[in-house]
Every structure is written in C-alpha cells, then in structure tokens.
C-alpha cells in the first residue's frame, strides 16, 4: 500500500488500485495545490506500473469532495494583481497557465492508457465532479446523500477544468446547458438519466461495482477520443442546433439580464467547443476561464459567497474563550408561523424543543406546521418516514411555562407587541436557570428596550429570523447595550447548529436588513407616485439583479404591515420621518381599496386561484398620471434601486450598527437577494469606487431627493480613495473582528 498525506493507494490481487482520498485536516476533501500534486503522482504511478491494470478513486469521508478550494483561486488572483502591476501580458499568461493546471491533470488521467473509475459515495461538487467526468467509468452510491453538481456559476466563475466540454459530450445539449448555467444538484438517478454516470450501486457494493467495471474490460478511452464520435444532440450547425442555440441565448438573457459574465462564458465555451477537437475545446474553455477570473463579478462573488460566507458560518464573529454550547433543550415561545418555523429548524438540527403557546390547541397547531413541512420532504424523497418520526418526537407542545425548566435558551416569538413580550419574558425567567439565554425574535422593537423587562439583561439578546424560517438562510443576532459575550456566543452556536448564517448587528430601529429592505420598497413607492408604470418598476428591479420586485415583496410581507411600520415611525420620530405622499399611497391601498397583499388575495398584484399566475393590479395606473414609458431611463431606475440600498448599508456602517463588511455583504445577499453578482451592498460600492459612487448618488439626489444623500463616511472614503474592506478591514492585526 502506498501512502500520501491526502490519499492512500492499495492494489488488489486483480491489479486494481483503490485510491482513497481522505484529507486528515479537513472535514471535507477539497483540491489544494498539495492534493493535486499527490494525485498527479498517483496518475504517474498507475500509468507506469505494469502490475496495475486500472484504478478506482473514492473518498474516505462521508462526502466525496467539495471541489476546488476557492481560497486557492483567490491566491491566484492576488498573484495576478501583483504581477499585473509589473507586466500585464506576463500576468495574464501566468493566470492562463494556472487556470489550466487542473484541466491538464484530468486530461492526463483520461489519456493515460489505463481505465479509471470514480466511485462517488457522497456529495461531489465542482472540480471533483470534473475529475469524475474525466474517469472512464462513473458509479454513484444509491443514497440521498449523493449529490453531484458543477455549481461554480453561483460564485461568479464556471467549470473550467473540462466541465463545459465533457458534460455536453455526454448529455443532451439542452439538459447540459441547464445544468451548467444554473449549477443545479443532480441525484444519482438524474445523473444516470442524463448519461453523466454509468451505474448506481448499493452503498455497501459501491467499490466492488466500480472494480467490476475494470475487471469486465472497461475501455481506457473516452468517447470523444474515438474516431467517429458524434455529439449527443447532433452538430451545432444542424436543424437541431438551430432549434437549440437561439432560444438558449434568449432564456439565459431572460434569467440573468446579462449580469453574470460567467453564465455567458459557459454558453460561449460550449458553443465554440462543440465545433472543434476536444483538446482545442479545452483551450477555448481555459481562455474564457482566464477572462472570467479577471472580472470584478468573480472577485466579489468568490469573496462574499464563498470565503466570507464560510468564515461567518464558522463563527468569525463569535467571542473567544467561551466554550461551545451543546444544546440539550430549547424553548420557543409562540407557536404562530414564525415560532412554529423556529421549532421546526431546531428539531431538524436534532435539538429537543418545547413549543409553548397560550393554550395546548395553539401549541399543537404549531407542531402541525412541522409535520406538514417534514411530510413534504418525505413526499419529495428528501427525508424518510423515520426522519419524520424522529423530528416530531423532538417537539413538545405545551401551554405551561414550567416546561421551560432545564432549557439552555429560550427564543421568544410572540406577537410583535412590547407588553405581550414583557409578560412572556417575565414568566419565562421565573422558571429558567440563571445561566439560560433569552433571545427575542423581533423585527421592529429595539432589543435594549425589551431587555429592560429582563432581570438579567446580560443574558438577553435579539435573534431575528426571516420568513419562511425553514428556507431563509440568514439570522441577525442583535446586541442590546447590556448583552454579554456569553449570550452572543450561545446565540451564534445555536444559529450555526441549525445550519444558518449569523451576522452580528448592534441595536437600532429595523436593525440592518429591514432598514435596507424598507429603502428598496420606499423607492418603488416613489416611482409609482412619479408615474412610472408598475411593470417597469418591477422589471427594472429584476434587471438590476434583485430576485423579487419591490411591489411583489411588499405584497409578500403585507401592505398593511408597511402601513403599520410607517405609522409607528411617525409616532416615534415625528411626521417628517415618513414621506407624506408615500404614506398617502399606502393608506389608499389599505384603507380605500382593502388591498393588503398576498394574504387577502389583492395588493399591488391580484392573486387569482391556482394554477393562474398573479398579475399587477390594473388600478395602479389610475392612482397617478402615467409617464410615457419611452421617456423613462431604465438604467436610471436600476441605479436608483441599487444605490438607495447601498447608501443605507453605508449609513449602517457609519453608525456602527454593523462593523464587519463581510456581514453587510453576505447579509444583503442572503436576506433579500441584493444583486448577488455585485458581491453585496458594500462590494457594489467598492466595485464602482467610492468617488464614482458618490458622484452617481449626487446626480440622483439632485433629481430624485434626499434619500440619495451620501453619508459623511462615504464622502471621506471618496476623498481618500478607500474601500470598505480597507477601512473596516475584517482581518486587521491578523484577527477577525469580534462584536463591538
């Protein structure tokens, strides 16, 4: 048996080498420079050793591999920027050469003259799936844990190690393009149906099945390397090609609005690659990959959606020196939609949860929500009946506060009313142990004020979920003025335990996310008042990169909730705190027309019975004199949406509500889908440059109002030429920032 740091190689009596990938210092295998060097040596060993007839590669972990370590790509880009300052042409050549290393290794493997089989035992992503596609045989375990994908487009790049060339040579072109441009996960059944794997085996027989392929004479030549190879969907220049490519280009444009250079590059790589021999096609892919690696979209998305996201998920902002909490019991107060959702994700994480409401019937109704959610997962094949029974057994509905005894943490999710929350806090604390943490899930009421109801404000913290809880991946952890480090650590441990991403926010009205979202909605109300057609408003927002139009978002959250927030803001801060015309618009929607949003079937949209789709309410055009659409600058509408949100994010940083740009960026994308191609609200400003952004904001301010006034922080950054990641460096002094 040959042993490397990350691999072991053992050859059986049939001459089949079993290559087991098991990185000792990682929970998941990833391709690092070291791992690639070792695998290169293993390919040489298999090729040169006469006694070895072929090789099977698999993983020693539950998962196969997460693909390439994207921090390796970041280092590549950093090296490129350093070299670029000296010699731009040489720097580009270096980037091109580095970009082709993985693809060259896979090509070496598939042309080595001996058969290789990939035995996929778990999650197999990115470069690892490209490795599998380069193997002559591919077997996946018959398990729900096995997912295969080329998800690179989700972080601003694309499969650059042969993925754009092998997939369309194996699968039908339409399915291949869908998979590559969306980054979708494939089950073993789906992958086999597409022709991307050869066999599905029982997990216990995975390795034996893979070896049997070699023993049965697996040919060590890929289909595209054989004479007479034909593309699955026929030639590009054919009737089938003519029916595929024009719609494919149009569909991609419709889905991305041209905001994602990597998605466009995938189409180009596939189209051009299908016209030439395979090795030339790989060079084309490498060229486009090198080009995409130099885009600001790739840099921003890799940073926010991979590096920063991983760091936050690992607890970058968790206070040091506090032991990690292993939760034995958690309580949720309030079994309404939010509370029931919180109970579900808690139980799904394997934590026993007490679900309390005013009476047992209400608490049981809350538990029924979990039953509905897990039943849907079972129906879709994503969970088993055993999983369902296990989850439901962890949820105990109750109306008795005495059931909270022994809880490590209580999450209050009662009605958004200070007096109701006060009563819940006092009754819970009468039962809780002194070390227990009390967390309030509030979206509007400041935590410092709510903590006054507590006899132990150091243990009182905010934990703001987003709806629907089971699907939204972000949680705001909100610090009151007296919140202690232990409360923060426990809250973050909980958020990580339920596999969501925590961001730490200091106390303020609306916290971080809602402040930004309200600006987004407010700008759409202003556009309506100006006479911009509603359809243009919604479409411009989507063209800017937002997943949901602001009027649709208002309907989802409820138009009358927007009215309540406006009225409460006026009560707290005075008449000038809310635009009078916007208040009149919302009052007209709610009080005059009873249009409260999706919940009552009519808001800015009408909601007919299914399967009919919602459509904009025709009466909107009668509320204000409509402008001629041809006179409206769509680019300006797009700018207004992104700039108003980014300005609010900058104000939040200026006020010290958020102190880490990673949290501002990741939070803006995960919570409300701020144009992911920008890398987030602050990366959007950094990408434009503070000076250019301020100039753009001033033009918008002069034309549309004070909401576009740049804060002093941005003016100062513009003058100094700073970025947010320089001014608020999260890695200052070699350490990540902790809570202020």
């Amino acid at each position: 048996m040959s042993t490397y740091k990350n691999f072991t190689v053992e050859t059986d009596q049939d001459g089949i080498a079993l290559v087991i990938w098991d990185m000792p210092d990682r929970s998941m295998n990833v391709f690092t420079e070291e791992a690639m060097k070792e695998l290169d040596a293993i390919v040489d060993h298999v090729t040169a050793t006469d006694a070895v007839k072929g090789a099977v590669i698999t993983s020693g972990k539950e998962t196969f591999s997460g693909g390439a370590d994207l921090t390796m790509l970041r280092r590549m880009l950093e090296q490129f920027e350093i070299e670029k300052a000296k010699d731009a042409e040489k720097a580009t050549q270096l980037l091109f050469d580095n970009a082709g290393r993985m693809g060259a290794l896979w090509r070496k493997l598939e042309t080595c003259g001996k058969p290789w089989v990939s035995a996929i035992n778990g999650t197999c992503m990115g470069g690892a799936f490209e490795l599998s596609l380069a193997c002559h045989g591919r077997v996946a375990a018959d398990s729900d844990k096995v997912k295969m994908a080329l998800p690179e487009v989700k972080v601003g790049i694309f499969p650059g190690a042969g993925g754009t060339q092998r997939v369309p040579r194996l699968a039908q072109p339409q399915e291949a393009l869908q998979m590559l441009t969306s980054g979708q996960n494939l089950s073993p059944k789906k992958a086999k149906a597409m022709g991307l794997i050869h066999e599905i085996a029982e997990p216990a027989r995975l390795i034996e099945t893979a070896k049997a392929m070699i023993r049965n004479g697996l040919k060590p030549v890929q289909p595209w390397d054989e004479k007479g190879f034909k593309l699955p969907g026929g030639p590009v220049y054919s009737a089938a090609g003519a029916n595929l490519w024009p719609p494919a280009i149009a569909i991609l444009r419709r889905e991305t609005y041209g905001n994602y250079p990597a998605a466009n590059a995938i189409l180009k790589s596939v189209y051009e690659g299908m016209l030439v021999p395979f090795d030339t096609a790989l060079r084309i892919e490498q060229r486009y990959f090198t080009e995409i690696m130099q885009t600001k979209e790739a840099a921003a998305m890799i940073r926010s959606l991979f590096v920063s996201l991983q760091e936050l998920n690992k607890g970058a902002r968790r206070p040091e020196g506090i032991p990690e909490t292993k939760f034995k019991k958690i309580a949720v107060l309030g079994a309404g939609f939010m509370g029931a959702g919180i109970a579900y994700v808690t139980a799904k994480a394997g934590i026993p949860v007490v679900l309390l409401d005013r009476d047992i019937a209400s608490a049981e109704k809350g538990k029924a929500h979990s039953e509905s959610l897990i039943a849907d997962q079972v129906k879709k094949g994503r969970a088993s009946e055993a999983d369902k029974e296990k989850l439901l057994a962890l949820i105990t509905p109750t109306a008795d506060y005495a059931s909270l005894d022994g809880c490590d943490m209580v999450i209050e999710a009662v009605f958004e009313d200070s007096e109701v929350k006060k009563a819940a806090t006092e009754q819970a604390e009468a039962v809780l142990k002194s070390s227990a943490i009390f967390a309030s899930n509030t979206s509007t009421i400041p935590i410092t004020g709510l903590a006054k109801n507590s006899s132990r404000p150091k243990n009182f913290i905010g934990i703001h979920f987003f709806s629907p809880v089971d699907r939204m991946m972000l949680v705001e952890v909100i610090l009151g003025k007296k919140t202690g480090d232990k409360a923060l650590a426990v809250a973050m441990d909980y958020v990580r335990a339920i596999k969501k991403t925590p961001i730490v926010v200091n106390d303020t009205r609306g916290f971080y996310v809602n402040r930004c979202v309200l600006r987004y909605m407010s700008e759409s109300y202003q556009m309506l008042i100006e006479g911009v057609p509603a359809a243009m408003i919604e479409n411009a927002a989507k063209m800017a990169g937002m997943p949901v139009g602001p009027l649709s978002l208002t309907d989802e959250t409820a138009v009358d909730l927007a009215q309540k927030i406006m009225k409460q803001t006026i009560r707290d801060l005075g008449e000038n705190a809310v635009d009078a015309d916007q208040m009149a618009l919302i009052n007209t929607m709610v009080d005059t027309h009873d249009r409260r949003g999706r919940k009552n079937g009519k808001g800015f949209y009408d909601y007919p019975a299914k399967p009919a789709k919602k459509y904009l309410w025709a009466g909107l055009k009668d509320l204000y004199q409509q402008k001629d659409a041809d006179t409206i600058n769509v680019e300006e509408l797009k700018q207004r949406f992104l700039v108003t949100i980014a300005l609010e994010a900058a104000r939040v940083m200026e006020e010290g509500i958020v102190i880490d740009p990673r949290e501002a960026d990741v939070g803006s994308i995960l919570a409300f889908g701020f144009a992911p191609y920008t890398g987030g609200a602050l990366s959007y400003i950094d990408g434009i440059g503070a000076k250019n952004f301020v100039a753009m904001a001033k033009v918008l301010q002069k034309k549309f109002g004070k909401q576009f006034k740049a804060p002093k922080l941005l003016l100062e950054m513009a003058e100094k030429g700073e970025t947010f990641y320089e001014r608020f460096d999260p890695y200052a002094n070699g350490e990540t920032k902790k809570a202020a």
Side-chain angles (χ1 to χ4, degrees):
M1 181 167 70
S2 302
T3 304
Y4 301 80
K5 180 180 176 183
N6 300 294
F7 299 88
T8 58
V9 182
E10 186 172 352
T11 304
D12 67 14
Q13 60 186 10
D14 294 322
I16 299 172
L18 179 62
V19 181
I20 300 175
W21 188 7
D22 195 353
M23 300 179 85
D25 52 350
R26 294 183 184 252
S27 58
M28 180 182 277
N29 294 324
V30 291
F31 285 112
T32 59
E33 290 175 3
E34 180 184 59
M36 286 175 62
K37 282 179 183 176
E38 289 187 4
L39 190 53
D40 194 0
I42 291 168
V43 172
D44 286 341
H45 167 74
V46 169
T47 305
T49 307
D50 291 339
V52 176
K53 306 303 180 188
V56 171
I57 183 165
T58 193
S59 168
K61 302 183 186 296
E62 284 190 2
T63 57
F64 188 89
S65 169
D69 180 359
L70 290 189
T71 54
M72 183 169 67
L73 293 182
R74 281 197 79 189
R75 286 194 297 273
M76 244 165 71
L77 286 174
E78 287 165 4
Q79 185 184 8
F80 168 73
E81 291 298 332
I82 293 168
E83 296 299 324
K84 187 179 174 183
K86 304 173 190 173
D87 188 323
E89 190 174 327
K90 281 186 179 178
T92 303
Q93 182 63 50
L94 179 64
L95 185 61
F96 179 80
D97 293 341
N98 284 335
R101 286 179 60 204
M102 184 179 284
L105 178 53
W106 303 164
R107 186 60 175 154
K108 177 180 177 178
L109 179 149
E110 75 180 355
T111 58
C112 74
K114 291 187 180 177
W116 278 74
V117 179
S118 176
I120 303 167
N121 62 309
T123 299
C124 182
M125 297 286 162
F129 193 46
E130 288 179 295
L131 161 64
S132 298
L133 293 172
C135 288
H136 308 94
R138 294 170 290 283
V139 184
D142 188 6
S143 167
D144 292 338
K145 294 179 181 177
V146 177
K147 298 293 179 192
M148 292 157 276
L150 296 173
E152 289 88 344
V153 72
K154 294 179 179 179
V155 290
I157 54 178
F158 71 90
T164 68
Q165 302 309 314
R166 292 187 178 92
V167 170
R169 283 172 169 81
L170 291 167
Q172 289 297 317
Q174 190 168 337
E175 287 186 310
L177 291 176
Q178 169 68 20
M179 176 202 171
L180 291 166
T181 57
S182 69
Q184 72 184 104
N185 285 345
L186 303 177
S187 65
K189 186 177 178 182
K190 176 66 174 174
K192 188 171 188 295
M194 287 178 66
L196 298 181
I197 63 171
H198 298 98
E199 295 191 41
I200 300 172
E202 286 299 316
R205 291 191 53 77
L206 178 67
I207 303 303
E208 176 53 33
T209 304
K211 286 185 173 183
M213 290 185 76
I214 296 174
R215 283 199 299 268
N216 293 337
L218 179 66
K219 209 170 183 181
V221 181
Q222 293 284 25
W224 44 86
D225 287 325
E226 296 210 79
K227 191 174 181 181
F229 169 71
K230 295 187 186 316
L231 293 169
V236 171
Y237 294 140
S238 65
N243 286 329
L244 169 72
W245 286 100
I249 295 164
I251 290 168
L252 186 69
R253 182 74 187 177
R254 182 191 70 195
E255 297 298 318
T256 68
Y257 294 99
N259 290 323
Y260 294 87
N264 291 333
I266 288 171
L267 248 63
K268 293 175 183 176
S269 292
V270 174
Y271 182 88
E272 295 175 28
M274 295 300 97
L275 296 170
V276 296
F278 192 74
D279 286 303
T280 307
L282 290 179
R283 297 280 288 179
I284 289 170
E285 179 189 74
Q286 189 177 348
R287 181 191 71 195
Y288 279 118
F289 191 80
T290 304
E291 182 182 297
I292 291 303
M293 282 289 288
Q294 297 175 65
T295 63
K296 65 180 181 180
E297 289 86 357
M301 290 178 76
I302 289 171
R303 179 172 65 190
S304 293
L305 291 172
F306 182 79
V307 179
S308 295
L309 183 61
Q310 279 200 341
E311 289 168 351
L312 296 178
N313 284 339
K314 289 176 181 175
R317 290 291 311 283
R318 188 185 187 277
E320 293 174 350
I322 298 170
E324 188 172 341
T325 308
K326 301 296 181 186
F327 295 97
K328 295 176 183 174
K329 183 180 175 184
I330 282 175
V332 178
L333 310 185
F337 186 65
M338 286 297 287
I342 296 167
Y344 171 76
V345 296
T346 305
K348 195 175 181 185
I351 303 169
V353 56
V354 173
L355 182 58
L356 182 145
D357 213 308
R358 61 184 180 274
D359 54 58
I360 192 66
S362 299
E364 291 279 9
K365 186 179 178 182
K367 180 174 180 177
H369 177 68
S370 287
E371 186 169 10
S372 172
L373 289 174
I374 189 66
D376 186 55
Q377 293 294 300
V378 173
K379 187 178 178 182
K380 292 176 179 176
R382 296 173 185 166
S384 65
E385 282 293 337
D387 294 330
K388 176 182 172 183
E389 296 306 317
K390 182 181 176 183
L391 183 141
L392 294 176
L394 289 169
I395 303 174
T396 305
T398 184
D400 186 0
Y401 273 87
S403 301
L404 273 56
D405 184 35
C407 284
D408 304 297
M409 183 168 76
V410 169
I411 302 168
E412 169 270 300
V414 300
F415 189 68
E416 195 77 348
D417 179 285
S418 297
E419 289 305 311
V420 176
K421 289 182 181 292
K422 181 176 186 292
T425 305
E426 291 171 348
Q427 289 179 80
E429 287 192 351
V431 178
L432 292 173
K433 57 188 178 185
S434 60
S435 61
I437 303 302
F438 192 98
S440 177
N441 174 60
T442 176
S443 56
T444 57
I445 306 172
I447 291 300
T448 301
L450 290 175
K452 291 177 182 176
N453 303 321
S454 172
S455 60
R456 36 194 167 175
K458 280 183 69 175
N459 286 3
F460 196 100
I461 196 165
I463 186 162
H464 180 209
F465 287 87
F466 298 90
S467 183
V469 177
D470 59 297
R471 285 162 50 196
M472 298 298 285
M473 297 311 298
L474 187 80
V475 175
E476 284 182 306
V477 178
I478 302 126
L479 303 177
K481 286 185 179 175
K482 294 184 179 179
T483 301
D485 275 358
K486 186 193 171 187
L488 174 58
V490 172
M492 292 190 74
D493 290 343
Y494 168 71
V495 175
R496 292 166 64 205
I498 60 172
K499 293 183 169 56
K500 296 192 183 292
T501 300
I503 63 170
V504 182
V505 181
N506 288 313
D507 204 12
T508 186
R509 175 185 297 276
F511 313 127
Y512 168 55
V513 168
N514 281 352
R515 279 180 59 167
C516 292
V517 169
L518 290 173
R519 288 284 181 182
Y520 178 50
M521 294 174 173
S522 175
E523 199 58 29
S524 71
Y525 308 155
Q526 190 58 44
M527 289 176 182
L528 273 178
I529 293 163
E530 292 168 13
V532 178
M536 285 193 78
I537 293 170
E538 296 289 85
N539 288 335
K542 291 176 185 175
M543 290 168 72
M546 302 299 289
V548 180
L551 302 178
S552 179
L553 185 59
T554 303
D555 274 5
E556 294 297 328
T557 56
V559 184
D560 56 338
L561 176 61
Q563 185 187 48
K564 286 174 186 172
I565 292 171
M566 286 177 165
K567 287 181 175 179
Q568 186 64 48
T569 302
I570 289 171
R571 282 194 292 271
D572 293 344
L573 303 177
E575 293 284 343
N576 293 332
V578 172
D579 183 277
D581 291 336
Q582 293 184 27
M583 182 84 249
L585 165 63
I586 298 301
N587 285 340
T588 298
M589 292 290 292
V590 176
D591 300 334
T592 306
H593 298 287
D594 191 34
R595 303 192 72 86
R596 299 170 186 271
R598 181 185 279 278
K599 67 180 182 180
N600 80 326
K602 51 183 183 176
F604 288 103
Y605 284 78
D606 277 318
Y607 298 87
K610 290 184 177 180
K613 293 183 178 180
K614 69 180 183 181
Y615 53 87
L616 282 161
W617 175 42
L620 284 174
K621 66 180 183 297
D622 300 321
L623 297 181
Y624 303 97
Q625 172 127 13
Q626 298 285 285
K627 287 183 176 178
D628 180 351
D630 289 338
T631 67
I632 299 170
N633 185 333
V634 176
E635 288 301 315
E636 196 171 63
L637 297 182
K638 289 162 59 179
Q639 270 185 10
R640 287 171 68 177
F641 283 128
L642 298 185
V643 170
T644 193
I645 295 170
L647 282 168
E648 193 63 21
R651 293 183 194 108
V652 166
M653 293 293 290
E654 181 178 61
E655 295 165 25
I657 304 306
V658 175
I659 64 170
D660 189 324
R662 295 173 300 180
E663 293 180 304
D665 274 341
V666 171
S668 68
I669 295 173
L670 293 190
F672 56 93
F674 182 87
Y677 67 90
T678 66
L682 298 185
S683 284
Y684 171 64
I685 298 174
D686 282 357
I688 294 171
K691 186 175 181 180
N692 291 336
F693 180 84
V694 166
M696 185 163 64
K698 282 181 178 177
V699 171
L700 293 174
Q701 180 187 353
K702 186 175 180 181
K703 197 168 181 180
F704 299 107
K706 63 183 180 181
Q707 70 269 31
F708 292 106
K709 184 177 180 180
K712 288 182 180 177
L713 169 67
L714 267 180
L715 298 176
E716 189 177 314
M717 286 173 60
E719 189 177 331
K720 294 181 177 179
E722 289 179 319
T723 68
F724 279 98
Y725 281 82
E726 289 169 345
R727 185 169 182 123
F728 300 93
D729 181 6
Y731 310 105
N733 303 317
E735 299 176 2
T736 55
K737 287 187 179 181
K738 302 299 175 187

